[in-house]
């Protein structure tokens, strides 16, 4: 196979032109040997830039305007001291950034830009700086496969490319002193320490220091993935090369330096420049029957040591949600999570050195490890699904000459090497799935897989050392060469003419890695990415998707542009909604860093004008909502109204605190609850797969569209010990809202009366949660129907109103009360219904006074505290001699029971019993108050 390249892709040409255009006006400089560069007295053919700063800035601004990027007001420089022993000097060089979505040919663009800068301006010394071996190998591969194409395109220029080799320092002399285009690829680690060979004087160079030769050449730096080179140490290392300027290429810039071209993820996705993404979500459902713990981090600060854990916490609603908690020694997870299931998990030791947490029951977990999840079941489902999707896709695409590859990101190397659980599950799944496909049935699992886990040390292109976790074997070396260097074999089908070694290479189509392939490496024919790990870092989803988002190629090396072919399936161990939301957040994070660096402030401190300007440039929705700020608007008390007789009389009628009395017929309650529980369908714990497509809207925001129902692929029934269900129910009754205590005898009787107990045995926690929900609902109905209130002898004090001269407002709707009827000049409203209600109250002449009751004015109910909306004084109907009416009103979109949430309706019934209500024909302990629920002010008497 020979890769073919299209030189006329507009988005790539624009990126090349953007960089070249910054030096418009620079003469093309022929090769000239220079003998002095600053304090360096060495012979070198150096790059040269004759334009002054003002001209370069003007060019930059013109380029930015042409690419619809906000023009910068200055050039962005990196400055650092280089040299030692009295020979120190300051180096200052400008930086320019190109932002291109992963998979759109970023490396091709900068390799071609090198030749464009040579063609136009005679610039010829370039150093490509990379953060890792994986990125380095990807760069070398691109240099190799584009060589024929670029020489044809640029008239066969002489250019050389090579990896910097500390054992071959004559290479450095060649770089500095020849007049050809020289492209040297270096990892940042090869020159960022004083002990590096490049910084030592060497006999091979007649006592000269290699880095001085590099400095004399005034190289142009190409920084690949520069977000990994932002530390003070890395910046100093880059400055030590004495560059003319630096070009920074990434999809995920951490710090922006004079961005000259931007191809956003949304734009690349929308234009079909990358594969579309489908997320196949493999998750456990209804499986909260065991205590789950994952150690996220162990931290030590001075005398305090803490751990951050993920646990399944019981929420007030009764749901169980994965939640991050911070714990110290002695902390009880049973208390933190609100679940008795965690009894025994008291933190015994947090060890910062060993990065582990030990509990009182002797369970010990290291950072990244978890307990309680049926990981093997999820792994098995993910792996089998990936194998199935892979083979189905390969069967469909083989006729088009497209070989399908799948990439697995695993959680731990030990789970793959040496017959680890992941390798066992893959071998089993492959053997089971392949039997239905004749073309696959004779292939062994070992023949189709290869793995790369570590950054292996190389010397002169030969593997010197292999990470000990995978073992130093010939198989390791072959896998490394195949994955990192022999992309053509990975993309090719085996045929009868191949020798045995070539055939073995071409059979590989499943690749396993831990993190070494997360950045810098990709392959156009990765069609499945399976994430067998907890996704952690703020860029990890984008990095994983980036490995396979490049458009596919066929056996002729041609790019395939069929949208039905170019679909990347991410087999994720989280919900598709979470995956896509976090993917979008990772994109927003990158822009956030750029925006905060540009404006010198956090996103939350941006002004409204700044936010409008940013959203005009980056697209709506790129910024999170602005935080609410206390005191932005304040309502002021109208003291004259607060001291009026109308208000004093109103307050005297509603000020009384009350308590309620209840009576419950337990037998009648159980007779209603048991059949209701038996009628519920309680799903067993299981592993499901749900498919969704990733979409991008006109606002540039990624979202997920579900395209399949959840399909059960594994049953988890019976994989855990049965708990004491009565205790589980009692805990749920007490720790969910509202808390209710029922005797354990009553709960046991409820369980005994069940006609079938299968659901309770199959999924104890889900059954108990459902039973408690129904029990509380039926109990609430019983309580509300017969509730009676009585005065406590305690009151809400009028002085508390008088003391609150101003009230800070945070509501969505704030209405000015212009007429002297409201207690405050501004009225906070929680809905459009309330806003209209206030406007109508202002318009009615029969309204004497009204106020939005303060949040501390509470009516206790069995289903939680109730906060009524309005207290009103108004003239009564003329037919009744226009008496004064004292009302407490609740505003709802509809007062009908069927249109309200159950607890809303119950609280309204309690409010009617507390105040007394003609509407609901209830008499309360308060005198002369009518309680009503209305949709508008016109419904008042």
């Amino acid at each position: 196979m020979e890769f073919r390249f299209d030189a006329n892709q507009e988005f790539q040409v624009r990126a090349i032109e953007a960089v070249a255009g910054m030096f418009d006006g620079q003469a093309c400089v022929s090769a000239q040997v220079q003998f002095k560069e600053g304090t360096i007295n060495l012979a070198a053919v150096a790059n040269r830039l004759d334009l002054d700063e003002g001209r370069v800035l003007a060019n930059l601004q013109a380029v930015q305007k042409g690419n619809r990027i906000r023009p910068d007001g200055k050039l962005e420089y990196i400055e650092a001291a280089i040299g030692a022993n009295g020979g120190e000097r300051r180096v200052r060089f400008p930086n320019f950034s190109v932002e291109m979505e992963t998979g759109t040919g970023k490396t091709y663009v900068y390799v071609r830009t090198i030749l464009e800068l040579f063609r136009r301006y005679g610039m010829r010394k370039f150093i490509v700086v990379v953060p890792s071996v994986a990125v380095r190998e990807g760069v070398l591969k691109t240099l190799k496969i584009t060589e024929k194409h670029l020489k044809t395109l640029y008239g066969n220029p002489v250019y050389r490319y090579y990896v910097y080799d500390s054992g071959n320092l004559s290479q450095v002399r060649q770089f500095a002193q020849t007049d050809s285009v020289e492209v040297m690829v270096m990892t940042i680690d090869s020159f960022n320490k004083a002990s590096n060979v490049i910084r030592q004087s060497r006999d091979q160079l007649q006592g000269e220091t290699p880095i001085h030769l590099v400095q004399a050449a005034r190289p142009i730096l190409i920084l690949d993935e520069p977000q990994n080179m932002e530390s003070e140490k890395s910046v100093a290392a880059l400055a030590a090369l004495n560059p003319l300027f630096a070009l920074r290429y990434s999809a995920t810039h951490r710090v922006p330096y004079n961005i000259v071209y931007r191809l956003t993820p949304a734009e690349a996705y929308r234009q079909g420049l990358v594969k579309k993404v489908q997320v196949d979500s493999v998750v456990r459902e209804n499986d909260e029957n065991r205590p789950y713990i994952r150690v996220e981090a162990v931290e030590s600060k001075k005398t305090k040591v803490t751990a951050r854990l993920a646990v399944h916490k019981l929420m007030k609603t009764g749901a169980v949600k994965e939640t991050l908690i911070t714990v110290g020694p002695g902390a009880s997870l049973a208390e933190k999570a609100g679940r008795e299931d965690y009894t025994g998990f008291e933190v015994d030791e947090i060890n910062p050195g060993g990065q582990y947490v030990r509990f009182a029951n002797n369970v010990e977990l290291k950072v990244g490890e978890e307990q309680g999840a049926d990981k093997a079941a999820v792994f098995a489902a993910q792996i089998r699904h990936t194998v199935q999707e892979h083979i189905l896709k390969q069967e469909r695409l083989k006729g088009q000459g497209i070989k399908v590859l799948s990439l697995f990101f695993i959680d731990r190397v030990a789970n793959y090497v040496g017959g680890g659980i992941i390798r066992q599950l893959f071998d089993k799944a492959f053997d089971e799935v392949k039997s239905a496909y004749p073309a696959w049935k004779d292939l062994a699992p070992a023949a189709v897989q290869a793995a790369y886990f570590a950054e292996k040390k190389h010397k002169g292109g030969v593997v010197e050392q292999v990470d000990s976790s995978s073992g130093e074997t010939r198989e390791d070396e072959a896998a490394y060469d195949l994955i990192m260097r022999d992309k053509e074999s990975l993309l090719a089908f085996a045929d009868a003419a191949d020798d045995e070694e070539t055939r073995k290479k071409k059979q590989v189509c499943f690749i396993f890695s831990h993190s070494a392939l997360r950045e810098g490496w990709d392959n156009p024919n990765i069609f499945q990415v399976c994430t067998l790990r907890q996704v952690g870092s703020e860029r990890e989803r984008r990095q994983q998707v980036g490995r396979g988002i490049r458009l596919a190629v066929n056996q002729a090396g041609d790019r395939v542009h069929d949208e039905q072919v170019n679909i990347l399936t991410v087999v994720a161990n989280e919900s598709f909604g979470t995956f896509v939301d976090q993917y979008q957040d990772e994109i927003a994070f990158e822009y956030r860093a750029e925006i905060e660096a540009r404006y010198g402030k956090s996103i939350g401190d941006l002004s409204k004008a700044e936010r409008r300007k940013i959203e005009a440039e980056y697209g709506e929705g790129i910024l999170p909502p602005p935080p609410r700020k206390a005191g932005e608007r304040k309502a002021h008390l109208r003291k004259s109204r607060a001291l009026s007789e109308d208000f004093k009389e109103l307050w005297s009628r509603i000020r009384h605190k009350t308590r309620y009395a209840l009576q419950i017929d337990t037998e009648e309650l159980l007779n209603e609850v048991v059949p209701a529980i038996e009628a519920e369908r309680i799903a067993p714990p299981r592993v499901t797969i749900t498919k969704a497509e990733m979409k991008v809207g006109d606002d540039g925001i990624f979202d997920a569209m579900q395209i399949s129902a959840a399909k059960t692929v594994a049953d988890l029934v019976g994989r855990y010990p049965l708990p004491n269900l009565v205790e589980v129910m009692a805990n749920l009754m007490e720790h969910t809202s509202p808390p209710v205590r029922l005797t354990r005898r009553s709960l046991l009787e409820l369980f005994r009366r069940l006609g079938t107990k299968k659901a309770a045995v199959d999924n104890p926690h889900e059954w108990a949660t459902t039973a408690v929900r129904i029990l509380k609902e039926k109990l609430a109905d019983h309580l509300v129907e017969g509730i009676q209130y009585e005065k406590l002898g305690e009151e809400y004090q009028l002085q508390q109103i008088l003391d609150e001269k101003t009230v800070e407002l945070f509501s969505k709707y704030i209405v000015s009360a212009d007429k002297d009827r409201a207690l405050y000049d501004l009225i906070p409203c929680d809905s459009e219904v309330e806003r209209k209600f206030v406007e109508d109250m202002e318009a009615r002449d029969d309204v004497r006074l009204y106020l939005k009751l303060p949040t501390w004015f509470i009516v206790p109910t069995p289903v939680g505290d109730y906060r009524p909306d309005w207290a009103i004084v108004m003239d009564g109907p003329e037919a009744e001699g226009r008496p004064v009416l004292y009302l407490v009103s609740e505003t709802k979109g509809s007062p009908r029971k069927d249109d309200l949430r159950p607890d809303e309706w119950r609280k309204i019934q309690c409010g009617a019993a507390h105040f007394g209500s003609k509407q609901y024909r209830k008499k309360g302990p308060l005198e002369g108050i009518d309680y009503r629920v209305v949709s508008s002010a016109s419904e008042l008497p």
Side-chain angles (χ1 to χ4, degrees), residues 415-462:
N415 279 342
Y416 180 83
V417 301
I421 182 65
I422 288 175
R423 187 155 190 171
Q424 291 179 40
L425 291 171
F426 175 81
D427 291 354
K428 181 174 184 287
F430 184 77
D431 279 337
E432 290 175 352
V433 174
K434 73 177 186 180
S435 60
Y437 302 92
W440 295 80
K441 65 180 182 180
D442 294 330
L443 289 171
V448 296
Q449 60 184 299
Y452 171 51
F453 298 124
E455 294 187 352
K456 304 169 187 177
K457 296 180 180 178
H458 293 70
K459 184 175 182 181
V462 177

Side-chain angles (χ1 to χ4, degrees), residues 728-739:
V728 174
M729 291 174 68
N731 183 62
L732 287 167
M733 292 287 289
E734 190 170 346
H735 289 97
T736 56
S737 183

Side-chain angles (χ1 to χ4, degrees), residues 781-847:
D781 288 339
H782 276 251
L783 296 176
V784 167
E785 285 175 9
I787 195 168
Q788 291 186 335
Y789 282 87
E790 59 183 24
K791 293 179 183 178
L792 274 176
E794 300 175 10
E795 300 175 348
Y796 288 109
Q797 298 299 316
L798 176 61
Q799 192 61 40
Q800 194 168 351
I801 291 279
L802 298 175
D803 289 343
E804 288 185 339
K805 296 178 182 178
T806 60
V807 179
E808 292 174 349
L809 304 180
F810 299 101
S811 297
K812 182 177 179 181
Y813 305 96
I814 297 175
V815 181
S816 295
D818 298 327
K819 296 185 178 177
D820 195 28
R821 292 172 183 160
L823 208 61
Y824 289 88
D825 60 346
L826 297 175
I827 311 295
C829 301
D830 298 326
S831 65
E832 178 64 23
V833 171
E834 285 195 2
R835 185 193 64 77
K836 184 67 167 59
F837 181 81
V838 172
E839 290 178 351
D840 290 346
M841 294 291 283
E842 286 286 295
R844 285 185 62 156
D845 292 334
D846 57 349
V847 174

Side-chain angles (χ1 to χ4, degrees), residues 193-209:
K193 297 180 288 292
S195 59
N196 291 133
V197 170
I198 198 171
R199 293 174 180 262
Q200 309 297 320
S201 60
R202 315 300 293 182
D203 291 340
Q204 301 98 309
L205 298 176
Q206 292 76 49
E208 191 53 71
T209 305

Side-chain angles (χ1 to χ4, degrees), residues 600-621:
K601 62 177 75 171
S602 70
I603 290 291
D605 292 331
L606 291 169
S607 68
K608 290 181 180 178
E610 288 169 335
R611 293 178 69 90
R612 284 195 297 270
K613 186 182 294 184
I614 289 164
E615 294 204 336
E617 178 181 345
Y618 291 88
E620 292 184 11

Side-chain angles (χ1 to χ4, degrees), residues 296-362:
E296 292 284 329
V298 169
E299 298 173 344
S300 178
K301 296 181 180 178
K302 295 183 179 179
T303 59
K304 185 179 181 182
V305 61
T306 59
R308 197 162 67 250
L309 311 178
V311 298
H312 283 172
K313 184 176 181 179
L314 178 65
M315 313 307 287
K316 291 295 185 182
T317 60
V320 170
K321 182 180 179 182
E322 185 175 305
T323 307
L324 287 177
I325 60 172
T326 299
V327 298
S332 166
L333 297 198
E335 293 179 6
K336 290 275 190 178
R339 298 181 62 192
E340 296 298 322
D341 312 57
Y342 285 91
T343 299
F345 283 98
E346 290 81 37
V347 178
D348 186 46
E349 179 186 353
I350 301 174
N351 192 306
Q355 290 285 287
Y356 66 79
V357 179
R358 182 182 294 125
F359 299 94
N361 56 7
N362 291 323

Side-chain angles (χ1 to χ4, degrees), residues 493-513:
F493 291 119
D495 58 48
D498 291 332
D499 58 36
E500 184 178 355
E501 184 178 348
T502 302
R503 179 179 54 79
K504 284 182 177 180
K505 287 182 178 182
K506 292 181 177 180
Q507 284 178 344
V508 172
C509 50
F510 295 95
I511 301 167
F512 290 81
S513 183

